[in-house]
Each structure stands twice: as structure tokens, then as C-alpha cells.
């Protein structure tokens, strides 16, 4: 009787826990009485003289020789590779946007033979760095819904237990209040929006601002210095960068002349204020008294001098950009008769 011969194993690897159904191909297999993986006998079924199916027994990580024995002798061996079950101990970072794209490092053991990384049920692009590290790119979350996804690694040794990766929704801004302030910065601003709870950075234009998180819908921030005009306000979280609101930086108004610069204590004199950055002025004061005024242009305002005591007062113009330095207006008492 001829000895059995083995020409192929399929698959030729599996988990150390055993249980893999392996097809042995060869010749003279019809009388086989024993199939061994290394020194361990395996359960098997003779399919034909050229094929046997066997169930891999448990084994240790590494190669073993698979042999078939019959009354005619024992075949030469073919290598079967026992692969250890991969494990994951850390996912870093542990969160990212629902749109995916975050580079994630997976740390664990027995990762060298990993063929698939999944976030939930979605396969991720991945690269094996070593037996203890894999880099993966978080895929887009199915349906776009935020929340946790279990990250797993699969090899011929099986599928690891999962570690949570949290998909975070993109932040949005719906309002900035107040919506304007001085170019010098320092304005206390309330930002209103959605998905703000994990904010790491708030920017006015390209400049980061000090801030505190109040809730998922509110952040308090202090405007940094800026340039005259509108700056887009953005919030950065692990979910991405969101915006949708602007803050207007207003230049400090200046006054260069008053005409006339004097009038009666009874008030009523129309005074022309000339200067710069007057287009956003919200108040004109003679001393501490606010008065009616009309903005003519960014360089001119007409105001009505209010009633007051005889003597000099400082005239100032106030806007969201601040309060100008004062110019002197003198109230002159009427001569007595």
C-alpha cells in the first residue's frame, strides 16, 4: 500500500484556539487513519483518495507540520501557521469627526498578522506598523450620526475585543453677542450654537481667543485684538471646525475739531464734529450729558449742544470701537444788562 502524500492545505493558517476547517489535498488519502497538526491528532473526514477535511486542534502561535498517516506510512509534512488572537489596549485619539479621516493609532498585541480593522461594521484603511501597533484612518460614520463605534482588529487568529472610538458632530455657530467691539479686543462675547461641548479652540479670524465652555450650545469668549472689519468666528472640536457667525472689529473714533466750539448755556447750538471712524458712533456727549446727533459720514457728525453750566466741557464720541479723546466746547454766559 502506497504512503499518503500531501500537496496542499487550505487555509494554511488559523487561530491558536483551533476550530478551523482545513482541506488537505494530496494522493493516497483514502486509507488515512490519523491526521496530525504537529504532534496533536485532529478530527478529520476522508472525502476522497485526494482530499480530506480536518478540524485544526488548539495549538501555540507559530508553524506546525500537518501530516497524514495510513497503513502505508506517514506523509511528508506541510506547514500550518497558528496565529495568536490580536488584542487592542488603546485607540488614540479616541474621537474624531463623523466625516472620518482622523489618523488613529491602535496599540495592542499580536497585531502583525492583522488583515482588517473595523470601526463598528465599517472597514478602515490601515497599516501594520509592528506586532504592537497599527495606524488606521477612521472611516465616515454610516448615516452621519455621532456616537461611539467599537474598533476591532481581525487576523487569521480571530477578532480582538473592541475599544470605543467616539464620532463627534461638527460644531456650528448661530450667533455672536455682542456682534461688534474695539480693535483692541477685550470684549466679552457669548457664542451660541450646537455641538460646542468639546471645543478646544475658538478663533476670531486667524487669532485664537480665551474662552470657557458653558454648555453644548454656549461658549463665553474674550475677543483678541483684530483689524477693522469683519472676522469670521470659528470653533474647533474633535468633530471639526465650525462657524457661521462674524464679529465686527470697530476702530476707535477720533475727534479733530468742533465747529463752533462754543455756545450759550441754554444749548441748542448745532455743532459739527470732524474726525475719523465716526460711521459707527452710538453716542455723543458734552461732558457727561448725551445729546442728539446725526452721522453725516465716517468723518463728520452734527450734534446739538445740550443745556449746561457756563464753562468748558469735553465733547466725546462713543462707538463699539471705544470712546474718543475729548475736544473742548465752552459754554459762554450771556452778558447781564
Amino acid at each position: 500500500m502506497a504512503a499518503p502524500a500531501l500537496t496542499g492545505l487550505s487555509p494554511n493558517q488559523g487561530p491558536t484556539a483551533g476550530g478551523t476547517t482545513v482541506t488537505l489535498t494530496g494522493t493516497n488519502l483514502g486509507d488515512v487513519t490519523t491526521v496530525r497538526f504537529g504532534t496533536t491528532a485532529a478530527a478529520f473526514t476522508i472525502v476522497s483518495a485526494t482530499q480530506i477535511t480536518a478540524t485544526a486542534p488548539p495549538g501555540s502561535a507559530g508553524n506546525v507540520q500537518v501530516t497524514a498517516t495510513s497503513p502505508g506510512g506517514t506523509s511528508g509534512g506541510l506547514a500550518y501557521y497558528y496565529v495568536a488572537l490580536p488584542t487592542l489596549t488603546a485607540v488614540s485619539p479616541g474621537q474624531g469627526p463623523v466625516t472620518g479621516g482622523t489618523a488613529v493609532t491602535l496599540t495592542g498585541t499580536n497585531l502583525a498578522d492583522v488583515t482588517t480593522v473595523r470601526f463598528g461594521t465599517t472597514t478602515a484603511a490601515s497599516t501594520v506598523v509592528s506586532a504592537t501597533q497599527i495606524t488606521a484612518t477612521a472611516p465616515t460614520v454610516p448615516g452621519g450620526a455621532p456616537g461611539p463605534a467599537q474598533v476591532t482588529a481581525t487576523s487569521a487568529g480571530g477578532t480582538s475585543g473592541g475599544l470605543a472610538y467616539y464620532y463627534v458632530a461638527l460644531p456650528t455657530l448661530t450667533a455672536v453677542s455682542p456682534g461688534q467691539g474695539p480693535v483692541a479686543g477685550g470684549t466679552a462675547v457669548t457664542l451660541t450654537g450646537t455641538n460646542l461641548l468639546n471645543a478646544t479652540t475658538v478663533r476670531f479670524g486667524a487669532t485664537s481667543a480665551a474662552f470657557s465652555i458653558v454648555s453644548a450650545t454656549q461658549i463665553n469668549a474674550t475677543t483678541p485684538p483684530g483689524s477693522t472689519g469683519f472676522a469670521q468666528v470659528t470653533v474647533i472640536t474633535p468633530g471639526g471646525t465650525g462657524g457661521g457667525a462674524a464679529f465686527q472689529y470697530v476702530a476707535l473714533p477720533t475727534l479733530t475739531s468742533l465747529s463752533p466750539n462754543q455756545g450759550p448755556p441754554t444749548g441748542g447750538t448745532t455743532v459739527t464734529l470732524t474726525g475719523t471712524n465716526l460711521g459707527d458712533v452710538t453716542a455723543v456727549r458734552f461732558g457727561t450729558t448725551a445729546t442728539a446727533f446725526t452721522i453725516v459720514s465716517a468723518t463728520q457728525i452734527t450734534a446739538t449742544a445740550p443745556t449746561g453750566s457756563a464753562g468748558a466741557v469735553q465733547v466725546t464720541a462713543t462707538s463699539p470701537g471705544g470712546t474718543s479723546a475729548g475736544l473742548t466746547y465752552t459754554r459762554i454766559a450771556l452778558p447781564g444788562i
Side-chain angles (χ1 to χ4, degrees):
M1 180 180 292
L6 294 179
T7 57
L9 300 178
S10 180
N12 64 356
Q13 57 182 358
T16 55
T20 302
T21 299
V22 181
T23 298
L24 290 67
T25 305
T27 59
N28 306 317
L29 304 182
D31 297 305
V32 165
T33 57
T34 306
V35 172
R36 289 188 174 86
F37 284 65
T39 60
T40 304
F44 69 95
T45 300
I46 296 173
V47 178
S48 68
T50 60
Q51 186 176 309
I52 290 175
T53 58
T55 301
S60 301
N63 289 315
V64 295
Q65 294 296 303
V66 179
T67 58
T69 300
S70 76
T74 298
S75 70
L78 293 179
Y80 179 86
Y81 187 75
Y82 279 106
V83 182
L85 180 72
T87 66
L88 293 180
T89 56
V91 175
S92 180
Q95 55 187 356
V98 294
T99 53
T102 301
V104 178
T105 298
L106 312 181
T107 305
T109 61
N110 306 317
L111 303 181
D113 296 299
V114 165
T115 55
T116 306
V117 171
R118 290 186 176 91
F119 284 63
T121 59
T122 305
T123 300
S126 62
T127 301
V128 173
V129 178
S130 68
T132 59
Q133 185 174 310
I134 290 174
T135 58
T137 302
T140 302
V141 63
Q150 293 297 305
V151 181
T152 57
T154 299
S155 73
T159 297
S160 70
L163 291 180
Y165 176 86
Y166 196 83
Y167 280 103
V168 182
L170 184 72
T172 66
L173 290 179
T174 55
V176 177
S177 180
Q180 52 185 194
V183 293
T187 302
V189 175
T190 298
L191 311 181
T192 305
T194 61
N195 307 315
L196 305 180
L197 199 57
N198 296 306
T200 57
T201 306
V202 172
R203 290 193 176 102
F204 286 69
T207 306
S208 296
F211 70 96
S212 61
I213 298 170
V214 178
S215 69
T217 59
Q218 183 177 318
I219 289 175
N220 294 335
T222 302
T223 61
S227 301
T228 303
F230 287 93
Q232 290 299 309
V233 183
T234 54
V235 175
I236 299 174
T237 75
T241 299
F247 180 84
Q248 183 184 16
Y249 281 103
V250 181
L252 181 73
T254 65
L255 294 178
T256 56
S257 67
L258 304 178
S259 179
N261 63 359
Q262 57 185 5
T266 54
T269 302
T270 298
V271 179
T272 298
L273 290 67
T274 303
T276 61
N277 307 317
L278 304 181
D280 297 298
V281 165
T282 57
V284 172
R285 290 184 175 86
F286 284 64
T288 59
T289 304
T291 189
F293 69 96
T294 300
I295 297 173
V296 178
S297 68
T299 59
Q300 188 175 309
I301 289 174
T302 58
T304 302
T307 302
S309 301
V313 294
Q314 293 297 299
V315 179
T316 57
T318 300
S319 77
T323 297
S324 69
L327 292 179
T328 301
Y329 178 83
T330 303
R331 294 189 181 100
I332 301 173
L334 295 174
I337 297 177

